[in-house]
Amino acid sequence: MDFKKEANKSNCACTYLACPRRGDCYACVEHHRGNAELPGCFFTSESEKTYDRSIKNFIQTIADKE
Ligand code: SF4
């Protein structure tokens, strides 16, 4: 499990490096789902850096891409 967490960390698109859930994708999804949000890896790199993980921001990001 720790090996997988380390592997996930190296592929993680989230720029909040101090997050204790970094690399633990189950905990990441659970945390953001509980706040009606999505994990950082769902967002474009530009939008991810705002740390606004709201579903509203996700939809706006997708709309802006089209
Ligand atoms: S997306 Fe959220 S929970 Fe996941 S690593 Fe980034 S800040 Fe942490």
Side-chain angles (χ1 to χ4, degrees), residues 12 14 16 19 21-22 28 31-32 39-40 53:
C12 183
C14 179
Y16 183 48
C19 179
R21 289 170 290 276
R22 188 173 172 77
C28 181
H31 171 75
H32 286 294
R53 310 281 192 244

Side-chain angles (χ1 to χ4, degrees), residues 1-51:
M1 185 68 172
D2 284 345
F3 171 78
K4 187 72 175 164
K5 186 172 182 177
E6 290 306 310
N8 288 344
K9 278 184 185 179
S10 67
N11 293 319
C12 183
C14 179
T15 58
Y16 183 48
L17 303 181
C19 179
R21 289 170 290 276
R22 188 173 172 77
D24 185 345
C25 299
Y26 295 113
C28 181
V29 169
E30 183 177 45
H31 171 75
H32 286 294
R33 185 183 59 204
N35 291 308
E37 298 173 342
L38 293 166
C41 57
F42 279 70
F43 295 83
T44 62
S45 61
E46 189 174 288
S47 183
E48 186 281 326
K49 289 176 187 145
T50 67
Y51 296 147

